[in-house]
Amino acid sequence: MLEEKSAYLNDFPMRIRVANIQNYPLHCHRDMEFIYVLQGKINLKCGSSIYELKAGDVFTVNESEVHGLVDGSNHNITALIQLNNEYFLHTFPDIYMYVFRTFTKDSSNVKLSVLRKYLLQILYNILKKTPS
């Protein structure tokens, strides 16, 4: 298993990758990560569980959780959004003790819909490369 060190550019507390996932080996990192499937399906191994994530699913990987991704369909598009936990220490001094869960089979969950909306806004603003 590989410990991944996330590089954040220009002190920006977020690292975003949008990709077609084929195989992303087991790894861990010290930062929280949102895995947001935009199209298709992927299989996520997190800890001792395997999850099939489909378009619209959001899974939160917590600090130091071992996880890996495998293609679930030939045409997936997945956003990997990592947040620099150290950046948020001044606001949330116990952030390394928090555990976040977002994966649910209830796709109509209101809180999940709000999270999806915010993640899409972040992706849109990053992709259009504006200062906001």
Side-chain angles (χ1 to χ4, degrees), residues 1-6 17 24-30 64-68 82:
M1 183 218 31
L2 175 67
E3 182 172 356
E4 185 178 273
K5 180 71 175 155
S6 300
R17 293 167 288 165
Y24 200 142
L26 287 174
H27 66 285
C28 67
H29 37 76
R30 292 194 36 88
S64 296
E65 277 189 304
V66 176
H67 61 288
Q82 288 182 337

Side-chain angles (χ1 to χ4, degrees), residues 2-36:
L2 175 67
E3 182 172 356
E4 185 178 273
K5 180 71 175 155
S6 300
Y8 296 96
L9 300 176
N10 302 323
D11 294 324
F12 189 64
M14 196 176 297
R15 178 178 178 213
I16 299 173
R17 293 167 288 165
V18 177
N20 174 275
I21 301 293
Q22 298 300 314
N23 184 22
Y24 200 142
L26 287 174
H27 66 285
C28 67
H29 37 76
R30 292 194 36 88
D31 299 319
M32 179 174 41
E33 180 174 33
F34 293 106
I35 298 171
Y36 187 2

Side-chain angles (χ1 to χ4, degrees), residues 10-131:
N10 302 323
D11 294 324
F12 189 64
M14 196 176 297
R15 178 178 178 213
I16 299 173
R17 293 167 288 165
V18 177
N20 174 275
I21 301 293
Q22 298 300 314
N23 184 22
Y24 200 142
L26 287 174
H27 66 285
C28 67
H29 37 76
R30 292 194 36 88
D31 299 319
M32 179 174 41
E33 180 174 33
F34 293 106
I35 298 171
Y36 187 2
V37 180
L38 302 171
Q39 178 181 307
K41 294 179 188 175
I42 61 169
N43 294 311
L44 166 70
K45 180 170 177 52
C46 189
S48 61
S49 299
I50 297 176
Y51 302 90
E52 181 182 78
L53 306 179
K54 62 184 182 342
D57 286 341
V58 177
F59 193 99
T60 304
V61 177
N62 292 285
E63 180 253 337
S64 296
E65 277 189 304
V66 176
H67 61 288
L69 302 165
V70 178
D71 179 26
S73 67
N74 288 330
H75 304 291
N76 75 76
I77 298 175
T78 304
L80 306 172
I81 304 167
Q82 288 182 337
L83 299 179
N84 183 345
N85 286 351
E86 285 186 18
Y87 179 86
F88 296 101
L89 276 173
H90 66 282
T91 307
F92 305 103
D94 297 326
I95 195 164
Y96 288 110
M97 297 176 68
Y98 297 166
V99 175
F100 298 93
R101 295 285 177 237
T102 55
F103 186 66
T104 177
K105 294 289 185 185
D106 179 11
S107 60
S108 65
N109 182 297
V110 174
K111 291 180 182 179
L112 181 58
S113 295
V114 170
L115 178 61
R116 276 191 207 110
K117 176 185 164 191
Y118 285 133
L119 292 176
L120 285 173
Q121 284 178 332
I122 289 168
L123 290 171
Y124 175 75
N125 285 325
I126 292 296
L127 292 174
K128 73 177 188 173
K129 298 184 190 267
T130 63

